[in-house]
Amino acid sequence: MATWGDLVAYVRASYDVIRDEDDEIRVRISYDDRRAQVVVIAREVLDRKEEWVQIATPFARIDQVDLQEVLAEIGDTIVVGGAALMGEHLVLRHSLPLVNLDINEFVDPLELVTGSAELLEEQFTGRDDY
């Protein structure tokens, strides 16, 4: 899988797509305990030449959590990705180059980022908003 189109085709066939635009696709990943996580998968172009895919999923609003506590937890427990502020939301985010991207190089980080955000959301907000 080396193009954005290839990745989008795979995502459409494999996940519950809730929004589909030219450079962004959103999916809902559901868990057995009736919780779900919305994930934004976006095409990014670095330096106007290199295509990357960014995986981002919100887990809290900044005003809902103690940021220092959240960052300490992420530093202690999260394997891939990092925390970022996107508007009023805290998200876990991870980026990958599209060139020569194998499916496992996308699926594994997608699952880790999404699952980690779901756990953080439950731990720090006690809710299932995202």
Side-chain angles (χ1 to χ4, degrees):
M1 187 180 329
T3 71
W4 173 248
D6 294 336
L7 180 62
V8 168
Y10 172 79
V11 169
R12 285 180 184 142
S14 303
Y15 296 96
D16 177 16
V17 175
I18 58 175
R19 187 170 168 187
D20 195 341
E21 298 177 3
D22 288 342
D23 288 335
E24 179 181 296
I25 190 165
R26 293 181 187 210
V27 300
R28 179 178 291 111
I29 296 180
S30 299
Y31 298 94
D32 292 337
D33 62 359
R34 297 186 186 159
R35 293 182 64 90
Q37 195 69 28
V38 173
V39 185
V40 178
I41 302 162
R43 177 182 169 266
E44 302 289 341
V45 179
L46 192 64
D47 296 331
R48 297 182 182 181
K49 57 184 173 186
E50 294 179 27
E51 284 187 302
W52 285 65
V53 60
Q54 182 182 97
I55 301 164
T57 182
F59 63 90
R61 288 175 47 101
I62 187 67
D63 60 358
Q64 291 179 310
V65 297
D66 178 322
L67 188 55
Q68 186 171 349
E69 235 182 280
V70 170
L71 292 175
E73 180 69 19
I74 290 170
D76 288 342
T77 61
I78 304 301
V79 176
V80 299
L85 287 175
M86 296 180 98
E88 301 173 339
H89 294 93
L90 277 167
V91 301
L92 276 186
R93 185 169 76 176
H94 190 73
S95 297
L96 305 156
L98 275 170
V99 174
N100 300 321
L101 182 69
D102 290 327
I103 194 60
N104 67 310
E105 294 171 327
F106 170 74
V107 171
D108 292 346
L110 175 69
E111 291 175 359
L112 284 169
V113 167
T114 306
S116 297
E118 181 61 25
L119 292 172
L120 290 167
E121 179 180 16
E122 186 173 21
Q123 178 180 348
F124 286 98
T125 72
R127 301 173 59 135
D128 188 26
D129 295 332
Y130 309 102

